[in-house]
Amino acid sequence: MDFAKLKRMLYYWIHQIVNILLRLTWHLLHVTIHLFYFAINIANALESLLISKGLLRRYKSLHISKLQYLAIVIESEDCRTSNVIELLQWLADLGVKHVCLYDKEGILKKSKDFILEKFDGATLFQENDVLLDQPLMTLEFASFSDGKEAVAKAANVLFMKYLKSGSTSSYQGEQIFTESQMGEALKTVGGNGPEPDLLLVYGPARCHLGFPAWRIRYTEIQHMGPLKSMKYGSLIKAIYKFTMVQQNYGK
């Protein structure tokens, strides 16, 4: 047999064997990762069940007083009022008094009258309300448009102040709007509500989904998974983890 032909055949079979081994390795790795996350999900579900049944002692006592204001961020496509009302009932049972419900498209805001009617035990939060213990839970409804509108109005307030200060002065180019000035402007236009102590995200994305950034400077953020898969035990665990965190605020 021709030596060159034999060499080509040898290279061909080596290439095929390497491809098969690489594919097997990839599939094995893929299956291993899936099994790993499956095991984690099973463990989390089991832990959530044990917590909800009160079988894990450390979760029995929550320092709920540390949670003055809670924000719930929900993926708009996952906004089901029945789930939201059930979630609010869980929070009320735990003693949470002030909650902000946020979704990017404003679906919850459009349904606020229905939610307030169905969830017997809540009132609408007003911006000037003080975060004090009270018999009824207060609810704030927010969406992405609120943040955009607030920033636009605040920018207009700062611009008008800038013009009144003397727009033709020689040092106008050196004037810079600071964070504190923006904060004061947001308060003026009504876009600077309470800063949540804890923000729980229900949805596939591990982000705050456009929740006003100036309101979460010191907020703890936890991802909870899809709203349709919410679990009472997972909610208790998230609040427990927050109450155990030592928060250090910079000067």
Side-chain angles (χ1 to χ4, degrees):
M1 182 179 292
D2 186 17
F3 179 75
K5 185 177 180 181
L6 181 63
K7 186 177 180 180
R8 287 195 300 271
M9 290 182 61
L10 181 62
Y11 282 156
Y12 171 79
W13 285 110
I14 289 175
H15 180 72
Q16 293 297 319
I17 292 172
V18 169
N19 281 340
I20 292 172
L21 290 175
L22 287 175
R23 288 183 180 181
L24 287 175
T25 303
W26 167 252
H27 286 297
L28 180 62
L29 181 62
H30 193 67
V31 170
T32 302
I33 292 174
H34 272 279
L35 289 175
F36 174 74
Y37 281 105
F38 178 76
I40 289 179
N41 290 334
I42 292 295
N44 288 337
L46 179 60
E47 182 185 34
S48 177
L49 179 63
L50 294 175
I51 293 173
S52 62
K53 297 295 183 181
L55 298 178
L56 296 183
R57 184 179 301 176
R58 63 176 177 172
Y59 294 107
K60 287 186 177 181
S61 58
L62 294 176
H63 302 289
I64 205 68
S65 59
K66 294 183 66 175
L67 185 56
Q68 292 293 311
Y69 202 73
L70 173 67
I72 304 291
V73 172
I74 302 174
E75 174 68 38
S76 294
E77 296 180 358
D78 203 19
C79 285
R80 295 176 177 84
T81 53
S82 58
N83 293 124
V84 172
I85 292 171
E86 184 179 9
L87 180 59
L88 290 175
Q89 187 60 62
W90 290 349
L91 293 171
D93 293 341
L94 293 173
V96 178
K97 294 298 183 182
H98 306 283
V99 178
C100 175
L101 293 174
Y102 170 93
D103 75 285
K104 191 172 184 179
E105 302 298 328
I107 295 175
L108 292 174
K109 183 187 292 187
K110 295 175 183 177
S111 306
K112 67 180 178 181
D113 292 333
F114 178 80
I115 292 174
L116 289 169
E117 179 184 352
K118 291 296 183 181
F119 180 62
D120 185 19
T123 59
L124 194 61
F125 180 81
Q126 304 297 327
E127 191 164 337
N128 295 324
D129 287 353
V130 180
L131 299 181
L132 298 175
D133 288 339
Q134 53 188 31
L136 298 179
M137 176 187 288
T138 61
L139 295 178
E140 177 190 357
F141 294 86
S143 65
F144 184 73
S145 62
D146 297 329
K148 290 180 64 177
E149 183 179 354
V151 170
K153 289 181 178 179
N156 187 58
V157 168
L158 291 175
F159 179 68
M160 295 305 296
K161 286 184 177 180
Y162 175 71
L163 289 179
K164 289 180 181 179
S165 66
S167 60
T168 58
S169 59
S170 58
Y171 57 87
Q172 64 176 359
E174 300 177 2
Q175 294 186 7
I176 299 175
F177 298 136
T178 64
E179 181 180 344
S180 60
Q181 288 175 317
M182 178 58 80
E184 288 299 319
L186 287 168
K187 288 180 181 179
T188 302
V189 301
N192 197 27
E195 295 186 12
D197 303 297
L198 175 64
L199 187 147
L200 302 179
V201 180
Y202 285 92
R206 292 179 176 270
C207 66
H208 57 75
L209 298 175
F211 191 91
W214 59 88
R215 292 182 59 181
I216 53 175
R217 293 174 297 175
Y218 304 109
T219 301
E220 293 287 330
I221 302 176
Q222 294 192 38
H223 183 254
M224 303 296 290
L227 182 67
K228 62 182 179 181
S229 303
M230 66 181 189
K231 297 178 178 62
Y232 182 61
S234 299
L235 179 64
I236 294 177
K237 181 180 178 181
I239 295 177
Y240 173 81
K241 287 176 64 177
F242 165 75
T243 60
M244 299 302 293
V245 170
Q246 180 65 40
Q247 292 181 320
N248 298 314
Y249 300 98
K251 295 183 178 179

